[in-house]
Amino acid sequence: MIYQGKAIKVTRLDGGIARLAMDLPDTGANVFNELLLEELKAAVMEVAASDVAALLIVSEKPHFLLGADIGSFSETFALSEPALLQWLAGCNAIFNQIEDLPIPTVAAINGMALGGGLELCLACDFRVAATNAMLGFPEVNLGICPGFGGTVRAPRLMGVARAIEWVSTGKPVPAQQALADGILDGVADPEFLESSALEMIEQALRGDLDMQMSVQQKINPVEGDREAVNALYRDAIASLEKKNGAHYPAAVTALRAMWEANCLDRSGALESENQAFAQLARSETSANLIQLFHNDQYLKSKSRELIRSVRSPSQAAVLGAGIMGGGIAYQSALKNVPIIMKDIAQQGLDLGLAEAGKLLGKQVDKGRMTDEQSERALANIQPALDYTGFDKVDIVVEAVVENPTVKKAVLAEVEAETADGAILTSNTSTISITDLASALKSPAHFCGMHFFNPVPVMPLVEVIRGKQSSDDTIAKTVAYATALGKIPIVVNDCPGFLVNRILFPYFGAFCQLIRDGVDFWEIDRVMEAFGWPMGPAYLLDVVGIDTAEHCMDVMAEGFPDRMKYDFRTVINFLYEKGDLGQKSGQGFYRYEAGKGGRPQKTFDETIAASMSELQHGSGTVSDQAIEERMMVALCLEAVRCLEDGIVDTAIEGDMGLILGLGFPRFRGGPLRYIDNMGVANFVAMAERYADLGPLYHPTESLQQMAAEGRRFYS
C-alpha cells in the first residue's frame, strides 16, 4: 500500500506500477470536493516520493469523475478575488504535479469524465477511455469556465478549433469522437479498459510512446499559424456574442482566456484561465445558474422519493389526436410506453399518426434513431375510434377541446371503460381539476396532467392535485411524466395552476402598457433585451389570441380583484377581429411560411395603426418603466402562488416558469430575481406603481419579509 485515505487508495501492482483508485465515500459518484482534492494532493506526493515506475489513475465508481461538487464550493466561489485566485493556484499545483511526474501516467476513463474530472485526465500523459465513456467541459452551463487547466491543455492536445467547440458548447462527447478529436490516445471495451491502460503504460516504459513529447506539448505555447488561430478565435467569439448577447458571458470569457494564453507557457496560461474563472464564479449570473443546477437536482430527488413505492404505468391512452394529443402519443411511444390514441374521427387519427411519423423521421435524420427503431416506436401508438383495449390501460390523458362541459362528458365516459384503479388525468391548462372531478365516480383516481406545447420540446409537466386526488394518483402520474422524460412539478388546484396563473398578470401588464400608449413592438424589444426568448406580443401570437382570450376570462373569474380589467384590452380587440396569431396568419405580427414551413413574423404598420383606438396615454414610458411594470406584475403573482401553497417551495415556483415559460435562466426565476434585487428594493419598486391597481400591490407577507431582511433562498 502506497497511500490509504477515505476517498483515494494507491496500491502497488506488478511491475512497480502505482494504481490510484478514487472512491468517494457515501456517494454514488466521484466529484471534486475538499476531501478528494486534499487526498489527491497527498496521494500524488506519496507516489512522487516512491520508487514506482508508472501511475495508473482509475475510478471505482460507475463514472470516472463528474467534476466539482458545486454545493461544497459555493462558499469558495464567493471568496474575494485574491482568495479565490489563491485557491485556484493551489488546486492547479496538484494537477501540475501529476503532469510533472518523471514517470508515465495514464488515466483509465470509465463512464463520464466531466469538468474537473476531464481536467485530471488531461494532466496525465495518456488517456484511454471505455467505448461507452463521455467526456466534456460542462462549466459554461453553470456560468463559469474550466478552472483546473482545461482551457490550457485542451487546445495544446486537440488543436484550437476542436478545443473552442468543446469549451464553448459544454456538450459531452462520446469516446470515439474524443479519440478522433485528439483528447484520447485509445478506446477499449469496458471490460478491457484497465488492461488496455496497463498496456499503454508498458508501451511508454518501452519507449514506444513518447511521454516527454506529451508533457512538452502541454506546457509550451500553442503551435500553429498565429493568424489562422486568431481568425478562429475572432469568428467563434463573434458568433457566441451574437447568439448569447451579454447575458451568458461564460463561453466568450473562456475563449478570450484561451486566446490570451495562446502564446504563453503553462504558468502564464493557467493565470489567464484563473482570472477568467474568478471573474465568472463571483458573478450574479453564475450564482443563478448554479442555483438552477441545485434546483434541478431537488426536483429530481423529490420525484424519485414520490414514485419510490409505485409502479410506473406500462400502458397509456390519450383522448384526442390533435396537436397536444398527438404530441403526447409521440412522446409516450418514443419513450417505449405503448399508448392508445383515440379520436372520434379517422381523419384526426390519420393526422396524429402522420405527425408522430414526421417527428420520428426527424430523429432518424439527426442520427438519434435508426429506421428500425423509428418503426418500432411508431408501432407503440395504437389508433382507435372506440374504447377497445382501455380495460388494460394504467393511465389516460384526456386532451380534448378546452371546454369543461365536453371534458366532463368525455371523462365520465372513459371512466366507465377503464379498470378499477386506472388513473384518469386531464391536460387542461386552466379548468379546475376539482370541478372536473365532480363528473367522476372515483375522483380520487383523477388529477391534472398539463403538458406544454410543443410537447416533444417543452420539458415541464404540471401535475395538478385536485381536492380529492389521492397520493397514489399523484405518484403514478409523476411516474408516467418521468418515464416520458419530462420534469414534473406537483401543484395544487387553482385557476391557471402555476405557470398560467403567473403568466397572465404579465399579459395584463402588457395590455395596460398598450392602453397607456406604448407600442407593442417596443414592449417586445425591451423584454427580449431583458432576456425573454420572445416578447409578450410575439408570445401571444404563438399561444394563440383565442387561447389567451379564454384564459383571461378564466383568470378574471378566479381573481377578479387584480385580473379583471375595466378597459378593452388589445387581446379582446384582436380576438374580435379574428386575428388569432400564427394560427390565422395574423395577430400582432403577420406570418408567412418560412424555411421548413415554420411561420416567420413580419411587422405590418397597418396592424400597429389599427390599435391606436385602444391607446389613450401619451406612450412616453421609459424602457426601465416598461421592464419594471412587466416584471413586478409577474413576480408578485409568483409570490402569491408560493404564499397560497400552490407550490411547496420557491424552487418549484422558479423552475415552473423557467421550464414551462422560458423565463430567462440567467436570472434564476422570478423569486430568485426578487432575492437578487433585494426584497426591500423590490417592494419599493412595486409600490411606485401602486396606482396601477392591485396587480402591483405587494402582499403583507412580502412586506414583512422586506422588513425582516429575509430571502426566498437562504
Side-chain angles (χ1 to χ4, degrees), residues 423-504:
I423 305 302
L424 302 186
T425 72
S426 176
N427 181 48
T428 177
S429 58
T430 56
I431 301 170
S432 167
I433 295 302
T434 301
D435 179 51
L436 291 178
S438 65
L440 300 173
K441 295 177 180 177
S442 300
H445 294 150
F446 174 66
C447 69
M449 192 177 190
H450 178 210
F451 291 82
F452 290 76
N453 193 35
V455 174
V457 175
M458 299 299 288
L460 179 66
V461 170
E462 287 179 315
V463 176
I464 304 112
R465 185 190 294 272
K467 286 185 178 178
Q468 294 174 281
S469 302
S470 71
D471 290 344
D472 182 70
T473 293
I474 297 299
K476 288 178 178 176
T477 305
V478 167
Y480 180 51
T482 303
L484 298 189
K486 299 302 181 183
I487 301 175
I489 293 179
V490 178
V491 305
N492 284 317
D493 193 16
C494 73
F497 316 130
L498 175 69
V499 174
N500 280 333
R501 174 172 165 177
I502 296 173
L503 172 61
F504 275 83

Side-chain angles (χ1 to χ4, degrees), residues 504-527 535-537 540 552 565 567-571 588 611-634 689 692 695-696:
F504 275 83
Y506 178 79
F507 285 153
F510 169 74
C511 292
Q512 286 186 336
L513 283 164
I514 299 290
R515 176 202 62 188
D516 294 345
V518 183
D519 293 317
F520 70 82
W521 66 89
E522 292 290 354
I523 305 171
D524 273 7
R525 175 184 59 79
V526 170
M527 299 318 296
L540 280 162
M552 284 190 77
Y565 305 106
F567 62 95
R568 186 184 180 208
T569 71
V570 68
I571 295 174
F588 288 94
M611 296 177 187
S612 61
E613 65 182 84
L614 303 171
Q615 298 178 300
H616 307 299
S618 65
T620 55
V621 180
S622 69
D623 286 2
Q624 179 180 338
I626 291 172
E627 177 185 304
E628 290 177 353
R629 286 173 62 169
M630 294 294 291
M631 292 311 300
V632 166
L634 181 146
Y689 300 106
L692 292 172
L695 210 59
Y696 293 89

Side-chain angles (χ1 to χ4, degrees), residues 225-244:
D225 182 278
R226 294 286 175 238
E227 279 307 309
V229 167
N230 290 343
L232 285 172
Y233 279 113
R234 278 194 298 266
D235 291 347
I237 289 171
S239 176
L240 286 167
E241 287 178 334
K242 182 179 180 180
K243 176 184 176 183
N244 296 338

